[in-house]
Amino acid sequence: MKPHLPHMNAAIEIAEKYQTPFGAALAMGDQLFVTAANQTKELNDPTAHAEIMAIRNLGEHIKKTDLSGFTLYTTCEPCPMCMSAAIWAKIETIFFGCDIPTISRFMDQIDLSCRDINQHSFRRVEIGEPVMPEACLELLRKFS
């Protein structure tokens, strides 16, 4: 699958708006459904990662937990929690900007790639090549 760059731009824009390196967008084909940013500090909730917030928002919007057919765009590689949520939500494809080794240069990370989690899962999510990594790296530089 080929990434839709405007959707990654939407993830970057919401991250900028919330002044965080972490933004996410969920889309189906050309249609963008939701964007979300990391809000762990604002909500005093360590699970309020951008990907989790996007999954919650979309589930509430469409009144379903099955997000089959949706693509997740995220500025940074999903952590183990977010990757697991994507698997449980049946998200079809994930595109991200910066990988975990890159993120680790700016902050603590659990050193387990989403590809490793995917490989050991009961279902597979298609994981694309990095999308707009330089723009996403700039978010890490600005907001970490």
Side-chain angles (χ1 to χ4, degrees), residues 1-74:
M1 180 178 191
K2 198 173 172 188
H4 193 68
L5 297 182
H7 298 332
M8 181 57 94
N9 273 321
I12 291 167
E13 287 170 10
I14 195 75
E16 286 271 359
K17 179 180 176 182
Y18 281 83
Q19 298 183 347
T20 176
F22 306 107
L26 276 163
M28 185 179 282
D30 291 345
Q31 186 176 0
L32 179 64
F33 279 76
V34 298
T35 60
N38 183 305
Q39 294 183 18
T40 56
K41 292 179 180 140
E42 294 84 353
L43 298 177
N44 297 308
D45 179 356
T47 68
H49 290 197
E51 300 93 332
I52 299 289
M53 299 301 291
I55 290 168
R56 288 175 182 164
N57 292 345
L58 181 58
E60 179 63 29
H61 177 72
I62 65 172
K63 305 294 185 213
K64 290 172 61 176
T65 58
D66 183 344
L67 305 184
S68 297
F70 282 91
T71 299
L72 174 65
Y73 293 83
T74 182

Side-chain angles (χ1 to χ4, degrees), residues 59-126:
E60 179 63 29
H61 177 72
I62 65 172
K63 305 294 185 213
K64 290 172 61 176
T65 58
D66 183 344
L67 305 184
S68 297
F70 282 91
T71 299
L72 174 65
Y73 293 83
T74 182
T75 56
C76 293
E77 181 176 356
C79 73
M81 176 182 67
C82 293
M83 184 60 191
S84 296
I87 291 165
W88 285 110
K90 300 180 182 165
I91 287 171
E92 187 172 312
T93 307
I94 295 174
F95 290 105
F96 61 84
C98 293
D99 61 13
I100 288 176
T102 301
I103 305 163
S104 295
R105 294 187 348 230
F106 297 88
M107 64 189 70
D108 293 336
Q109 288 291 297
I110 298 171
D111 190 15
L112 184 59
S113 78
C114 66
R115 286 181 172 83
D116 288 341
I117 294 166
N118 200 37
Q119 186 176 14
H120 295 283
S121 175
F122 61 93
R123 65 176 298 278
R124 298 290 191 270
V125 176
E126 183 180 345

